[in-house]
Amino acid sequence: MRRILASALLGVVVTAPGLRADTHRFVPTQFYTTYSFAHPPALRIKPGDRVITETVDAGGANRLGQTLTQGPNPQTGPFFIEGAEPGDVLVVRIEKIETNRTTAYSGSLLAPYSVDPASIAARQDREPKRVTWQIDRAAGVARLDDPDVRPALTLPLRPMLGCVGVAPARKEAITTPTPGAFGGNMDYAGLTAGVTVMLPVNEPGALLFIGDGHARQGEGEVVGTGLETSMDVEFTVDLIKKTPASWPRMDTDTHLMVLGSARPLLQALQHATSEMLRWLMADYGFSERGASAFMGQALEYDIANVVDPNFTVVAKVPKVLLPRR
Amino acid sequence: MRRILASALLGVVVTAPGLRADTHRFVPTQFYTTYSFAHPPALRIKPGDRVITETVDAGGANRLGQTLTQGPNPQTGPFFIEGAEPGDVLVVRIEKIETNRTTAYSGSLLAPYSVDPASIAARQDREPKRVTWQIDRAAGVARLDDPDVRPALTLPLRPMLGCVGVAPARKEAITTPTPGAFGGNMDYAGLTAGVTVMLPVNEPGALLFIGDGHARQGEGEVVGTGLETSMDVEFTVDLIKKTPASWPRMDTDTHLMVLGSARPLLQALQHATSEMLRWLMADYGFSERGASAFMGQALEYDIANVVDPNFTVVAKVPKVLLPRR
Amino acid sequence: MRRILASALLGVVVTAPGLRADTHRFVPTQFYTTYSFAHPPALRIKPGDRVITETVDAGGANRLGQTLTQGPNPQTGPFFIEGAEPGDVLVVRIEKIETNRTTAYSGSLLAPYSVDPASIAARQDREPKRVTWQIDRAAGVARLDDPDVRPALTLPLRPMLGCVGVAPARKEAITTPTPGAFGGNMDYAGLTAGVTVMLPVNEPGALLFIGDGHARQGEGEVVGTGLETSMDVEFTVDLIKKTPASWPRMDTDTHLMVLGSARPLLQALQHATSEMLRWLMADYGFSERGASAFMGQALEYDIANVVDPNFTVVAKVPKVLLPRR
Amino acid sequence: MRRILASALLGVVVTAPGLRADTHRFVPTQFYTTYSFAHPPALRIKPGDRVITETVDAGGANRLGQTLTQGPNPQTGPFFIEGAEPGDVLVVRIEKIETNRTTAYSGSLLAPYSVDPASIAARQDREPKRVTWQIDRAAGVARLDDPDVRPALTLPLRPMLGCVGVAPARKEAITTPTPGAFGGNMDYAGLTAGVTVMLPVNEPGALLFIGDGHARQGEGEVVGTGLETSMDVEFTVDLIKKTPASWPRMDTDTHLMVLGSARPLLQALQHATSEMLRWLMADYGFSERGASAFMGQALEYDIANVVDPNFTVVAKVPKVLLPRR
């Protein structure tokens, strides 16, 4: 095996005899806490390429529990996709997300805006204590056995990425707790291996960032965290040239999805719903009234998070309900 | 068969040789468009009793398409449950909801608050036209083939009740488009046959109302309607005495649910989330921190409606994830 | 002086030699905690008539501190205005609001939705303690000198009515903490003597209710109360026949105002702003674009309350800025 | 007069015999559309210094109507204040804001979120047309006489700056339509000559930006603009060292103010209210309960804007009501 140092600052690109030319092993050494056009590309890749890499946890700790960098949500990347230009859509297929250590942490109090203010005022124990879960990959579960948290909990692993984003539009630099039209910290429990994420490109090369792996997360992320841990991640990229898209979209085995992010919560839903209308009209042969009548009876929603600076709502259309064409 | 007229005003109670004493066939002739303590009971029943009845559609039309009464959402009932007192929980098990005619109607434009205001301003065709769906019970689908709605649509039936409610607290009379702590027009697509609905009792006898059947509905009810139609409905009732509950709850084969209703949307979610916390602590052995840590990684949400005077969010816990006790 | 008992249940109508035929002295003995068409008129009056009456405080105590009735916000009335029909506007000119005892009470903690949730969690003293203010009418101030409330406070009196409302539309019965299109508990500090309130009529006779006097109140009513006290009130009534209005309006020496009530806060503002547009177009000679351009540069807002079941926002146009006609 | 070119890129510093050493005449030639730490200082000044400068209008046009740069809201600056460090408060006293040309433009339709969605759907003329106002400084008014806008309008000038901001925290770069904790596009009609603005410092030198002058603006900025024009501006700066502040504050002849910015509107109010509580406790001798009880009866609010990416609400305390100390 031969190692080539791409950059002492940005990461290590590993090559090996068995590795195809379109596959990149990238070990990050530099991480970012803003989504921004201003960060130098860590790796340049082409449409069709595969990247094998890893993410540190939301606090900056890696597979060994070593804190490599400061949080929140340090990002691996940015990956510069050759040929990506503003007006294109970047397609990121998530091939693998796997926990790579034996612990995760989470919050243990319901976050401020997720509950009635009166229930915050009535809370007896207000200490925002972190708790540590044990990850048992063989059994496929995470376990929490903490004296303050009764009863003990065992929950199936469902690894996901809290953050997949590109450089924002209009030269904004946005901190990594924040989701938006550029993706970012959407904290959607459905962003697992096997899904395809589509993001509007705002800058040449798109500048793809990933991070904030969760071994599992409930909808809403109501304790302010998932099961925060480091991850091994593989993804492939592609481009859809010159296609208007205003919000991140996902394509899964079962659903078309749009992820809208904003405050208030209703506005996140409005963005997702409006964009789904446009998508069905542009790509699935619906008239405006046809898409509307269909969505009225076929739409589903997930509430990804209600704890980040913007909340995220996912509008979903089950593919099985789409008219045959 | 022998018919006994319970009241010329309120409905017809049908008895028959094969009918058990705890089973009531009730054909409504009087309907209500407010939830209120002030309406006289249409039928008095006991915990354990079964009611076989029917509902007109949201516009007041019955199985024959005859308009019996004015909308919106005319209610069948109220049913007075013997022994129900303020502080109890009324348990309503939905045994059957079946469409009983061959048409349903729906809206065909996305409702005001469900989309970005800019997309309303950009709309070319703003006519709020109703469309008529054909219900094919043999095939288990509803079909829409309307020249303005392209392409033609075929969607599986999933009959539900938009409205299940009791007399509100504090002598309020609330119009039937509105959901709240008393239930009412929650417009939740998951309120189907097989579920158990639990409602806080505010008045002696609880005064149960049902109505607003939908042959199917998408989450959010974003065109302002489901597939509005008349229904044959069967339910059984029971009481849980002296149990505090602030919001409607549901128990299904797979989930515990709480339905919070309010504006803004986040507040509906806050009510549902706060009440789920209380429920898990009261009945499932969780400490406050335990329930919080569990909900953070296990909670699911549905968005029932974003079109009614109050919006409804459903907080859900998958039973399979509950700790064994 | 001769007293005539109008009704042992509803109140006492006092007549005296010096009293004009169009002037009614009414001493309430029955109070209501819902706005509803179902309450029997306490007094029937005609357009042009004057009523001299009184209100108990939000907790039901009168000028002597005697608790006559239960709260919240017990209402004096309803007054049936002869000739008022749905589609009319009831005009209520507030001639006098005067505190009639020496104490008022208020909350002393910022209410749940008025502050960041984090600041609720950080609060050390969470006891929702009421404090008692001394009313000094001679000096025109209220004083609070309570060991828990530092420093001592002295604030000018500015008496107002929290509640002015009519029977709601569609046979709703709404509790008296709630404001809406029917008026009700708008808790607007600007609703003082000298203003004219205009309310859409929903029921024959309109059924006017008043109550919830505050010796003073800040905008937002952020401790959940004003300086709650009993009041002597005088008002005159009139009708504007067959005039569409969707929300309460006010006409003062300096401003035209619309009071929109809803949650979320933005929706209250939307109602008030939309209704002001309609008003300017209907009565002040503006085109739609003219009213819009004018409002963009001339509008003012007050935030009446952010603590009631609906929040209230007041859209205001300074009369001095209206174009001459 | 002698001109010294500070930088061909950033602006022109003018000196003259009569100019004091602590007074800077700065003519900007470079403008910015993000608030960011990354922009090079245009001018370095000291606490106590005065700057005489100018701003282009929101579209980038100067006093001559020449478009010098692209919008939205091109900023003059950034000014680097010697000695300013994170944790300090930058004090900016606005000495002068004067319109310097004879025209201003504004929108003429009520903006999307400022009105009911139904009123957007009902609008007949949806063209988002700009209109041009004539500024008559001698008469102190702006006039609009446009055939589409009836009647003609004449409104008093009240010049203000829509934007006063510093480099945001956490290395964010935020576009200039956006207000936040760093100030920015708060669009507050009360930000006129004579006020003192206080901004939390996030970066060394603070990096002060100003722009977006309005000859006048209504509360809410409901047409999406004020009377947009170029301005002559003078300000002086000072520092309060090591003072925690979370949101912009203002000190005027009559009021203490806090400007909270967020969506939803209620959250902007929550930020402003919570920060006012902290300010009263830190600097005005109030206990928490004392500040709360006082605010409940003394607070005022302005709604600065409901059209920007964050809305801005101003919590205000009349100085005359503060307890004597």
Side-chain angles (χ1 to χ4, degrees):
Chain A
M1 198 178 86
R2 190 164 56 99
R3 289 179 170 249
I4 296 171
L5 189 63
S7 155
L9 289 172
L10 304 175
V12 177
V13 178
V14 183
T15 63
L19 214 56
R20 293 168 44 147
D22 61 359
T23 300
H24 310 265
R25 280 188 183 255
F26 175 76
V27 182
T29 56
Q30 167 79 22
F31 301 87
Y32 297 98
T33 56
T34 53
Y35 299 101
S36 171
F37 74 97
H39 300 311
L43 186 68
R44 298 176 89 93
I45 58 180
K46 291 192 173 60
D49 282 7
R50 170 181 301 250
V51 174
I52 302 170
T53 187
E54 59 193 54
T55 55
V56 292
D57 71 22
N62 71 355
R63 64 178 65 235
L64 304 173
Q66 299 163 326
T67 297
L68 299 190
T69 183
Q70 276 196 306
N73 297 346
Q75 301 290 301
T76 295
F79 301 98
F80 184 104
I81 292 83
E82 304 281 359
E85 293 168 309
D88 299 342
V89 167
L90 174 64
V91 179
V92 183
R93 184 173 162 82
I94 309 295
E95 306 287 351
K96 183 174 103 170
I97 308 174
E98 280 183 13
T99 59
N100 61 19
R101 71 178 195 228
T102 58
T103 61
Y105 68 86
S106 81
S108 63
L109 285 185
L110 294 179
Y113 282 109
S114 72
V115 287
D116 293 328
S119 80
I120 297 174
R123 200 174 275 170
Q124 287 312 308
D125 178 358
R126 292 181 278 169
E127 179 66 28
K129 189 169 103 72
R130 278 192 179 176
V131 292
T132 301
W133 300 63
Q134 302 302 315
I135 296 176
D136 179 343
R137 282 187 56 189
V141 297
R143 294 192 185 89
L144 176 63
D145 192 357
D146 180 294
D148 285 356
V149 179
R150 293 289 88 186
L153 302 175
T154 301
L155 294 172
L157 299 179
R158 193 188 183 210
M160 54 161 279
L161 287 179
C163 296
V164 176
V166 293
R170 294 179 303 276
K171 307 296 181 193
E172 283 203 307
I174 305 292
T175 54
T176 46
T178 308
F182 62 92
N185 190 32
M186 300 177 287
D187 280 320
Y188 178 40
L191 206 164
T192 60
V195 308
T196 299
V197 183
M198 289 169 276
L199 297 165
V201 175
N202 301 301
E203 290 283 335
L207 296 179
L208 174 66
F209 300 80
I210 64 171
D212 188 31
H214 301 163
R216 174 185 185 83
Q217 186 203 292
E219 267 193 75
E221 203 190 23
V222 289
V223 289
T225 72
L227 302 188
E228 307 288 332
T229 192
S230 56
M231 293 285 181
D232 290 330
V233 179
E234 287 187 31
F235 62 88
T236 53
V237 296
D238 209 340
L239 285 177
I240 306 173
K241 294 296 292 180
K242 296 187 198 314
T243 291
S246 300
W247 290 96
R249 298 173 178 180
M250 279 177 45
D251 191 335
T252 76
D253 290 349
T254 57
H255 287 83
L256 305 178
M257 302 184 187
V258 177
L259 295 92
S261 294
R263 286 194 182 192
L265 187 59
L266 185 69
Q267 195 175 331
L269 178 145
Q270 290 174 337
H271 293 328
T273 309
S274 300
E275 177 82 353
M276 182 61 83
L277 183 85
R278 286 188 289 266
W279 194 8
L280 292 177
M281 290 172 67
D283 291 2
Y284 289 88
F286 283 92
S287 69
E288 183 169 53
R289 199 175 288 273
S292 302
F294 173 70
M295 288 167 67
Q297 310 311 324
L299 209 59
E300 299 172 359
Y301 287 107
D302 285 338
I303 297 177
N305 90 77
V306 292
V307 296
D308 295 323
N310 288 323
F311 303 149
T312 302
V313 171
V314 188
K316 302 164 63 179
V317 164
K319 289 180 173 179
V320 70
L321 297 184
L322 284 169
R324 296 230 183 72
R325 299 206 287 168
Chain B
M1 197 179 86
R2 192 164 53 101
R3 287 180 169 248
I4 297 173
L5 188 63
S7 157
L9 290 173
L10 304 175
V12 177
V13 177
V14 183
T15 63
L19 214 56
R20 295 169 42 150
D22 61 359
T23 300
H24 310 265
R25 280 188 183 255
F26 176 75
V27 181
T29 56
Q30 168 78 22
F31 302 86
Y32 297 98
T33 54
T34 54
Y35 299 100
S36 171
F37 74 98
H39 300 312
L43 186 68
R44 298 176 88 93
I45 58 179
K46 291 192 174 59
D49 282 6
R50 169 181 302 251
V51 175
I52 303 170
T53 189
E54 58 192 55
T55 55
V56 293
D57 71 22
N62 72 355
R63 63 177 65 235
L64 303 173
Q66 298 164 325
T67 298
L68 299 190
T69 185
Q70 277 195 305
N73 297 346
Q75 300 290 301
T76 295
F79 302 97
F80 184 103
I81 292 85
E82 305 281 358
E85 293 168 311
D88 298 343
V89 167
L90 174 64
V91 179
V92 183
R93 183 171 163 82
I94 310 294
E95 305 288 352
K96 183 174 102 171
I97 307 173
E98 279 184 14
T99 59
N100 61 19
R101 70 177 196 230
T102 57
T103 60
Y105 67 85
S106 82
S108 62
L109 286 185
L110 295 179
Y113 282 109
S114 72
V115 287
D116 294 328
S119 80
I120 297 174
R123 199 174 277 169
Q124 287 311 309
D125 178 358
R126 292 180 278 169
E127 180 66 29
K129 190 168 104 73
R130 278 192 179 176
V131 292
T132 301
W133 300 63
Q134 302 302 315
I135 297 177
D136 180 343
R137 284 186 54 190
V141 297
R143 293 191 186 91
L144 177 62
D145 193 355
D146 180 296
D148 284 357
V149 179
R150 295 287 89 187
L153 301 175
T154 301
L155 294 172
L157 299 179
R158 194 188 181 212
M160 55 161 278
L161 287 179
C163 296
V164 176
V166 294
R170 294 178 302 278
K171 306 296 182 195
E172 283 203 307
I174 305 292
T175 54
T176 46
T178 309
F182 61 92
N185 188 33
M186 300 177 288
D187 281 322
Y188 178 39
L191 206 163
T192 60
V195 308
T196 299
V197 183
M198 289 169 275
L199 297 164
V201 176
N202 301 302
E203 292 284 335
L207 296 179
L208 174 66
F209 300 80
I210 64 170
D212 189 30
H214 300 163
R216 171 182 187 84
Q217 186 204 292
E219 266 193 76
E221 203 192 22
V222 291
V223 291
T225 73
L227 302 189
E228 307 289 332
T229 192
S230 56
M231 293 286 182
D232 289 331
V233 179
E234 287 187 32
F235 62 89
T236 52
V237 296
D238 210 340
L239 284 176
I240 307 173
K241 293 297 292 178
K242 295 187 197 317
T243 291
S246 300
W247 290 97
R249 297 173 179 180
M250 280 177 44
D251 190 335
T252 76
D253 290 349
T254 56
H255 287 83
L256 305 178
M257 303 186 187
V258 177
L259 295 92
S261 294
R263 287 194 183 193
L265 186 59
L266 185 70
Q267 195 176 330
L269 177 146
Q270 290 173 339
H271 293 328
T273 309
S274 300
E275 177 81 353
M276 181 61 83
L277 183 85
R278 286 189 289 266
W279 194 7
L280 292 177
M281 292 171 66
D283 291 2
Y284 291 88
F286 283 92
S287 69
E288 183 170 53
R289 200 175 286 275
S292 301
F294 173 69
M295 288 167 67
Q297 311 310 326
L299 208 59
E300 300 173 0
Y301 287 108
D302 285 337
I303 297 176
N305 91 75
V306 292
V307 295
D308 295 323
N310 287 323
F311 303 149
T312 302
V313 170
V314 189
K316 304 163 62 179
V317 164
K319 289 179 172 180
V320 70
L321 298 184
L322 284 169
R324 295 231 179 72
R325 299 205 289 169
Chain C
M1 197 178 87
R2 192 165 53 101
R3 289 181 169 247
I4 297 173
L5 189 64
S7 155
L9 289 172
L10 304 175
V12 177
V13 178
V14 181
T15 62
L19 216 55
R20 293 168 45 148
D22 61 358
T23 300
H24 310 264
R25 280 188 185 256
F26 176 76
V27 181
T29 56
Q30 168 79 23
F31 301 88
Y32 297 98
T33 57
T34 53
Y35 298 100
S36 171
F37 73 99
H39 300 311
L43 186 67
R44 298 176 89 93
I45 57 178
K46 292 192 172 60
D49 282 6
R50 170 181 303 250
V51 175
I52 301 170
T53 187
E54 57 192 56
T55 57
V56 292
D57 72 21
N62 71 356
R63 64 178 65 235
L64 303 173
Q66 298 163 326
T67 298
L68 299 191
T69 184
Q70 276 196 306
N73 296 348
Q75 299 291 303
T76 295
F79 302 97
F80 184 104
I81 291 86
E82 304 283 358
E85 294 168 309
D88 297 344
V89 167
L90 174 64
V91 179
V92 184
R93 184 171 162 82
I94 309 294
E95 306 288 351
K96 181 174 105 171
I97 308 174
E98 279 183 15
T99 59
N100 60 19
R101 70 178 196 229
T102 57
T103 62
Y105 66 87
S106 81
S108 63
L109 285 184
L110 294 180
Y113 282 109
S114 72
V115 287
D116 294 328
S119 80
I120 297 174
R123 199 174 278 170
Q124 286 311 308
D125 178 357
R126 291 180 280 168
E127 182 65 28
K129 191 168 103 69
R130 277 192 182 177
V131 293
T132 301
W133 300 63
Q134 302 303 315
I135 297 177
D136 180 343
R137 282 186 56 189
V141 298
R143 296 194 185 88
L144 176 62
D145 191 358
D146 181 296
D148 285 356
V149 179
R150 294 287 88 188
L153 302 175
T154 301
L155 294 173
L157 299 179
R158 195 190 182 209
M160 54 161 279
L161 288 179
C163 297
V164 176
V166 293
R170 295 178 303 276
K171 307 295 180 195
E172 284 202 306
I174 305 292
T175 54
T176 46
T178 308
F182 62 93
N185 189 32
M186 301 177 286
D187 280 322
Y188 177 40
L191 207 163
T192 60
V195 308
T196 298
V197 183
M198 290 169 273
L199 297 164
V201 175
N202 302 301
E203 292 283 335
L207 296 178
L208 174 65
F209 300 81
I210 63 170
D212 188 31
H214 300 164
R216 174 185 183 83
Q217 185 204 292
E219 267 193 76
E221 203 191 24
V222 292
V223 289
T225 73
L227 302 189
E228 308 288 333
T229 193
S230 56
M231 293 286 180
D232 290 330
V233 179
E234 287 187 32
F235 62 88
T236 52
V237 297
D238 209 339
L239 285 177
I240 306 173
K241 294 297 294 180
K242 296 188 196 316
T243 292
S246 301
W247 290 95
R249 299 172 179 181
M250 278 176 46
D251 190 335
T252 76
D253 289 349
T254 57
H255 287 84
L256 305 178
M257 304 186 185
V258 177
L259 295 92
S261 293
R263 287 194 183 193
L265 186 59
L266 185 68
Q267 195 176 330
L269 177 146
Q270 291 174 338
H271 293 329
T273 309
S274 300
E275 178 81 352
M276 182 61 84
L277 183 84
R278 287 188 289 267
W279 194 8
L280 292 178
M281 291 171 66
D283 291 1
Y284 291 88
F286 284 92
S287 69
E288 184 169 53
R289 200 174 287 275
S292 302
F294 173 70
M295 289 168 67
Q297 310 311 325
L299 209 58
E300 300 173 0
Y301 287 108
D302 284 338
I303 297 177
N305 90 76
V306 292
V307 296
D308 295 322
N310 288 323
F311 302 149
T312 302
V313 171
V314 188
K316 303 164 62 180
V317 164
K319 288 179 174 181
V320 68
L321 298 184
L322 284 169
R324 295 231 181 74
R325 299 208 286 169
Chain D
M1 197 180 85
R2 191 165 55 102
R3 290 182 167 249
I4 298 172
L5 188 64
S7 155
L9 288 173
L10 304 176
V12 177
V13 178
V14 181
T15 63
L19 215 56
R20 293 168 44 146
D22 61 359
T23 299
H24 311 264
R25 279 190 184 253
F26 175 76
V27 181
T29 55
Q30 168 79 22
F31 301 88
Y32 297 98
T33 56
T34 54
Y35 299 101
S36 171
F37 74 99
H39 300 312
L43 184 69
R44 298 177 89 93
I45 58 180
K46 291 195 173 57
D49 283 6
R50 170 181 301 249
V51 175
I52 302 169
T53 187
E54 58 192 56
T55 56
V56 292
D57 71 23
N62 71 355
R63 64 177 66 234
L64 303 173
Q66 298 163 326
T67 298
L68 299 191
T69 183
Q70 276 196 305
N73 296 349
Q75 300 290 301
T76 296
F79 302 97
F80 184 104
I81 291 85
E82 305 281 358
E85 293 169 310
D88 297 344
V89 167
L90 175 64
V91 178
V92 182
R93 183 171 162 83
I94 309 294
E95 307 287 351
K96 183 174 104 172
I97 308 175
E98 280 184 14
T99 59
N100 61 19
R101 70 178 196 229
T102 58
T103 62
Y105 67 87
S106 82
S108 62
L109 286 184
L110 294 179
Y113 282 109
S114 72
V115 286
D116 294 328
S119 80
I120 297 174
R123 198 175 278 170
Q124 287 311 309
D125 178 357
R126 292 180 279 167
E127 181 66 28
K129 190 169 104 72
R130 278 191 180 176
V131 291
T132 301
W133 300 63
Q134 302 302 315
I135 298 177
D136 179 344
R137 284 185 56 190
V141 297
R143 294 193 186 91
L144 176 62
D145 192 357
D146 181 296
D148 285 356
V149 180
R150 293 289 89 187
L153 302 174
T154 302
L155 295 172
L157 298 180
R158 194 188 182 209
M160 53 161 280
L161 287 179
C163 296
V164 176
V166 294
R170 295 178 303 277
K171 307 295 181 196
E172 283 202 308
I174 305 292
T175 54
T176 45
T178 308
F182 61 93
N185 189 33
M186 300 177 288
D187 280 322
Y188 178 39
L191 206 162
T192 59
V195 308
T196 299
V197 183
M198 290 169 273
L199 298 163
V201 175
N202 302 300
E203 292 283 335
L207 296 177
L208 174 66
F209 299 81
I210 64 170
D212 188 30
H214 300 164
R216 175 184 183 84
Q217 186 204 292
E219 268 194 74
E221 202 192 23
V222 291
V223 290
T225 71
L227 302 189
E228 308 288 333
T229 193
S230 55
M231 293 286 181
D232 290 330
V233 180
E234 287 187 32
F235 62 88
T236 52
V237 297
D238 209 340
L239 285 176
I240 306 173
K241 294 297 293 180
K242 295 188 198 315
T243 291
S246 300
W247 291 96
R249 297 173 179 179
M250 279 176 45
D251 190 336
T252 76
D253 289 348
T254 57
H255 287 84
L256 304 178
M257 304 185 185
V258 177
L259 295 92
S261 294
R263 288 196 182 192
L265 186 60
L266 185 68
Q267 195 176 330
L269 177 146
Q270 290 174 338
H271 293 328
T273 309
S274 300
E275 178 81 353
M276 182 61 82
L277 183 84
R278 288 188 288 267
W279 194 9
L280 292 177
M281 292 171 67
D283 291 2
Y284 290 87
F286 283 92
S287 69
E288 183 170 52
R289 200 174 288 273
S292 301
F294 173 70
M295 288 167 67
Q297 310 312 325
L299 209 58
E300 301 173 358
Y301 287 108
D302 284 338
I303 297 178
N305 90 76
V306 292
V307 296
D308 295 323
N310 288 323
F311 302 148
T312 302
V313 171
V314 188
K316 302 163 63 178
V317 164
K319 289 179 173 179
V320 69
L321 299 183
L322 284 170
R324 297 231 179 73
R325 300 207 287 168

